[in-house]
Amino acid sequence: MNLTSAVILCLCMFGAVRLLSFPWLCSLLAGLGLCMFWKGSWRFLYVALRTIKRDLMCLVIIVRVRLSMYRNLKNRSTIPALFAQMVTKHPDKPALIYEATGEVWSFRELQERCHAVAHWALAQGWAEGDVVALYMESQPLLVALWLGLAMIGIEAAFINYNLRQQSLLHCVSVSGARAMVFGTEMKEAVSEVSDSLQPNMVLFSSGEHDDEEKLCSFQVQSLDTLLDHSPKHPPRYTLKKEFNDRLFYIYTSGTTGKPKAAVVVHSRYYRIASFGFHSFGLHHDDIIYNCLPLYHSAGTIMGVGQCLLFGLTVVVRRKFSASRFWDDCVKHNCTVILYIGEICRYLLAQPVRSSEAHHRVRLAFGNGLRPSVWEEFVRRFRIRQIGEFYGATECNCSLINIDGKVGACGFSSRILPSFYPIRLVKVQGENGELLRDSQGLCIPCLPGEPGMLVGRINHTDPLRRFDGYADQDSTNQKIAHNVFKMGDSVYVSGDVLVMDEYGYIYFRDRSGDTFRWRGENVSTTEVEGVLSGLLGHTDVAIYGVSVPGTFKIQKARLQREGYKPQDSSEKIYFLDSRAGRYEAVTDGLYSAIIKGRVCL
């Protein structure tokens, strides 16, 4: 069909709808007509009609979040101030439930504990902009600590409680923390590094003191005692910080080096939590089961943020337990669960329990749910809705899967791609270097082509900000210039994704997390998904290695075990299950495994 015919048809449809007095539909059809004129393709119209509902739903959500953020920006709101509004609305409603003890904190009680923290911090002589490191397992006190510190402008740094020695010292050091609060369950780890901490570092501990001698050996004060004697009323302090100022630091996982302290400002916290609430249809009376660590953004923003900003009740579990997961959900009448993909796989690997059939969970939302697990997880546990999202703590190119497309972590509109300016651009080499054209600009990927996800930076737009890390060098490494047009700047995610013709985006791999096989890049994530399913959802890591001088030995071993290589040039690949089991296989057996014909 030529362009003239397409335009005539669209004008006819426009006129007919106009006579029927549907003004909004007129605008929509006019837009589609212009798009068809520009694209000159019936296929584009088909794609537009298939995706228009999804795109409009997301458009409404983006507009809603954007307007609320502008309102908060105008009002100079902060997270503590927004939480105070929730306390006023329902002071006696349960805010946090600690699964380990059954302890329930109402919104009023949580606020009072935050006030106690604020008074304690002021008594230490700390000022706005100072940093306090928090190093403890997940518990309601952790929420009261960072939120109470934020009431007076002090920034928390969430330290991963699995870190030890040099990694722990690195995270404390890069944050510039003046003090550290740790749970007594972490006293051994703290004692190992106490002599290497800054001389002026002040230490506070919280929890049961079953070894007073060890704690006294490196001068630790009891935080619990200090908070018990702190006033519960609001401190007489006027916060100078506003909506775009720093709230706290969350560390990256360190997949590309040592962990980096990502800056989280008040507006970013609100944006992440707000998108989660509106995108996945959360209700104010929902009860969320949160077994994710609170040192990560999924647990403390996507999870706890629903409590602080929207009044939901959150059940906090100290650590994830696959065997207790559904029992906990039944016990607390949870209606929503928060996941990362590995949790879903661990749950599938558990034997069937009666509690699986008695829970009230209707929504599971999180990130990293692999296609190989998705459908089986929904079917076995009868989850009505999956809310998958993509986004690093610091990124400005988050994605949401609002219509449950299996395997997709989000989408980019094919009709209005500029409304949310994220792109997949071509890369070259294993280090993920951006590929550029003759004008020096990056090359957008076509549907089906894997590429690096980038997001345009605009510091005047609360959705497009990139606040970076505690150190400027790390921040600069994540910014690329002259990408869409000369003079612009984008955030480079470091993740390779691929988009289909409908705009759905699928996670492909971390840049560099691949290996070469027969002249092609093989995604370790894809191979891990296949092998994990074949091995009963055990934890699997895939990587390719070169083993000089061992080829003939391994080849002979495989022949003795009944496998004949397809030809003498086949290479060896090692499959590591992280459970003490290592297998060496050749190309042919590797290929058979990928096609699902072999189970190790």
Side-chain angles (χ1 to χ4, degrees):
M1 180 180 179
N2 58 40
L3 295 181
T4 304
S5 301
V7 172
I8 293 174
L9 180 58
C10 286
L11 289 175
C12 292
M13 294 173 64
F14 177 84
V17 173
R18 181 72 176 175
L19 290 174
L20 294 173
S21 299
F22 295 129
W24 65 270
L25 193 53
C26 287
S27 301
L28 179 58
L29 286 176
L32 288 177
L34 290 174
C35 288
M36 275 193 64
F37 178 81
W38 181 256
K39 301 288 184 178
S41 170
W42 276 111
R43 185 63 185 174
F44 178 80
L45 178 59
Y46 173 76
V47 171
L49 292 175
R50 284 284 302 271
T51 60
I52 187 65
K53 180 180 177 181
R54 176 201 68 186
D55 292 2
L56 288 178
M57 287 171 56
C58 190
L59 178 62
V60 170
I61 293 168
I62 291 175
V63 170
R64 188 172 186 177
V65 173
R66 185 184 292 274
L67 290 176
S68 62
M69 292 190 70
Y70 279 129
R71 182 173 62 252
N72 288 325
L73 187 62
K74 180 181 178 181
N75 296 336
R76 300 180 178 179
S77 300
T78 61
I79 298 303
L82 295 172
F83 169 66
Q85 296 175 12
M86 285 296 108
V87 177
T88 302
K89 287 184 178 179
H90 30 61
D92 298 319
K93 179 182 178 180
L96 300 175
I97 299 173
Y98 190 27
E99 203 287 323
T101 62
E103 189 176 6
V104 180
W105 290 9
S106 68
F107 278 84
R108 179 190 288 115
E109 289 169 332
L110 175 56
Q111 187 182 51
E112 289 175 350
R113 292 174 189 264
C114 292
H115 290 158
V117 170
H119 282 286
W120 157 72
L122 287 172
Q124 305 304 312
W126 300 330
E128 286 196 31
D130 285 340
V131 179
V132 175
L134 305 180
Y135 184 52
M136 60 179 62
E137 294 176 347
S138 298
Q139 53 185 291
L141 176 62
L142 190 56
V143 180
L145 282 169
W146 74 257
L147 188 58
L149 291 171
M151 287 180 172
I152 56 172
I154 296 173
E155 301 152 12
F158 291 87
I159 309 295
N160 182 335
Y161 54 68
N162 295 301
L163 297 181
R164 298 292 186 273
Q165 298 179 355
Q166 292 304 314
S167 296
L168 173 58
L169 285 171
H170 166 77
C171 288
V172 175
S173 175
V174 298
S175 70
R178 294 188 57 179
M180 176 194 287
V181 177
F182 65 93
T184 52
E185 70 276 6
M186 311 307 301
K187 61 180 179 292
E188 292 290 343
V190 176
S191 66
E192 292 174 353
V193 301
S194 58
D195 293 337
S196 301
L197 294 170
Q198 294 293 329
N200 59 349
M201 175 73 68
V202 186
L203 299 178
F204 300 88
S205 68
S206 173
E208 297 181 2
H209 294 78
D210 55 355
D211 192 349
E212 293 283 352
E213 184 176 344
K214 180 176 285 293
L215 291 174
C216 292
S217 65
F218 50 95
Q219 297 182 332
V220 180
Q221 301 179 51
S222 172
L223 178 66
D224 298 334
T225 301
L226 293 170
L227 293 183
D228 286 343
H229 292 87
S230 289
K232 303 297 189 292
H233 59 76
R236 293 182 178 178
Y237 184 86
T238 301
L239 185 63
K240 301 180 183 66
K241 289 193 174 186
E242 299 181 4
F243 200 48
N244 280 332
D245 290 322
R246 294 190 181 191
L247 176 60
F248 52 59
Y249 299 93
I250 288 183
Y251 290 81
T252 64
S253 59
T255 55
T256 56
K258 290 184 178 180
K260 300 187 289 289
V263 175
V264 178
V265 298
H266 292 259
S267 61
R268 176 171 294 274
Y269 189 100
Y270 182 88
R271 175 175 68 82
I272 295 174
S274 185
F275 267 119
F277 181 82
H278 295 296
S279 299
F280 304 130
L282 290 170
H283 306 151
H284 295 287
D285 58 352
D286 275 327
I287 300 175
I288 299 178
Y289 183 69
N290 186 1
C291 59
L292 301 184
L294 296 185
Y295 58 73
H296 275 169
S297 55
T300 207
I301 304 180
M302 269 294 197
V304 172
Q306 308 306 327
C307 165
L308 304 182
L309 301 179
F310 298 101
L312 281 69
T313 299
V314 175
V315 178
V316 177
R317 204 182 205 286
R318 186 174 64 90
K319 286 186 176 180
F320 166 71
S321 169
S323 61
R324 292 292 307 168
F325 188 93
W326 295 112
D327 293 334
D328 290 346
C329 290
V330 171
K331 176 182 176 182
H332 298 288
N333 294 315
C334 296
T335 56
V336 177
I337 59 175
L338 194 61
Y339 69 80
I340 56 173
E342 295 302 281
I343 282 180
C344 301
R345 187 170 56 77
Y346 292 145
L347 293 175
L348 283 173
Q350 288 289 305
V352 176
R353 289 181 169 82
S354 60
S355 53
E356 294 178 15
H358 297 99
H359 67 77
R360 297 177 53 219
V361 174
R362 61 176 176 79
L363 166 67
F365 75 108
N367 64 329
L369 184 54
R370 300 178 182 178
S372 59
V373 173
W374 189 307
E375 291 180 306
E376 186 179 354
F377 182 79
V378 169
R379 181 172 57 253
R380 173 174 168 180
F381 300 119
R382 300 177 296 107
I383 306 297
R384 282 181 282 169
Q385 181 185 357
I386 296 291
E388 176 78 3
F389 64 86
Y390 164 89
T393 302
E394 70 276 23
C395 82
N396 69 344
C397 50
S398 301
L399 303 170
I400 51 174
N401 180 349
I402 61 175
D403 58 352
K405 176 68 173 178
V406 174
C409 59
F411 72 94
S412 177
S413 174
R414 300 300 308 282
I415 306 172
L416 301 170
S418 298
F419 189 82
Y420 189 60
I422 59 107
R423 293 289 188 279
L424 298 180
V425 296
K426 293 184 179 182
V427 294
Q428 59 182 349
E430 295 185 359
N431 61 353
E433 182 182 354
L434 302 182
L435 189 64
R436 297 183 180 267
D437 60 20
S438 58
Q439 282 77 42
L441 300 177
C442 290
I443 305 172
C445 293
L446 297 174
E449 294 180 340
M452 184 74 69
L453 179 65
V454 300
R456 182 179 296 161
I457 297 174
N458 180 357
H459 286 289
T460 63
D461 184 341
L463 301 184
R464 306 259 49 84
R465 290 174 58 94
F466 173 53
D467 300 294
Y469 307 96
D471 66 294
Q472 191 59 43
D473 287 342
S474 296
T475 301
N476 294 338
Q477 291 173 12
K478 297 293 285 186
I479 298 176
H481 302 282
N482 305 324
V483 174
F484 300 115
K485 62 181 182 179
M486 299 305 293
D488 69 0
S489 301
V490 304
Y491 164 83
V492 181
S493 69
D495 290 333
V496 177
L497 297 91
V498 63
M499 181 179 68
D500 65 20
E501 67 169 330
Y502 299 104
Y504 289 106
I505 296 178
Y506 305 84
F507 184 85
R508 176 62 64 89
D509 222 333
R510 294 265 187 257
S511 58
D513 203 13
T514 61
F515 57 90
R516 300 285 289 178
W517 178 62
R518 290 188 176 178
E520 294 183 0
N521 287 320
V522 179
S523 165
T524 58
T525 303
E526 182 180 357
V527 179
E528 286 169 5
V530 174
L531 281 177
S532 178
L534 292 173
L535 298 174
H537 302 291
T538 57
D539 202 3
V540 176
I542 303 297
Y543 55 94
V545 297
S546 174
V547 189
T550 64
F551 174 76
K552 291 183 179 179
I553 297 174
Q554 298 291 354
K555 178 180 175 183
R557 171 174 170 260
L558 289 165
Q559 285 178 326
R560 284 198 303 271
E561 294 177 359
Y563 173 76
K564 285 190 175 183
Q566 295 176 357
D567 60 72
S568 60
S569 66
E570 288 188 300
K571 297 178 182 177
I572 300 296
Y573 292 90
F574 286 86
L575 309 179
D576 172 11
S577 67
R578 293 185 186 171
R581 178 180 181 181
Y582 297 84
E583 299 287 347
V585 299
T586 64
D587 283 9
L589 181 56
Y590 178 84
S591 178
I593 291 171
I594 298 308
K595 294 176 181 177
R597 297 200 301 265
V598 176
C599 181
L600 297 178

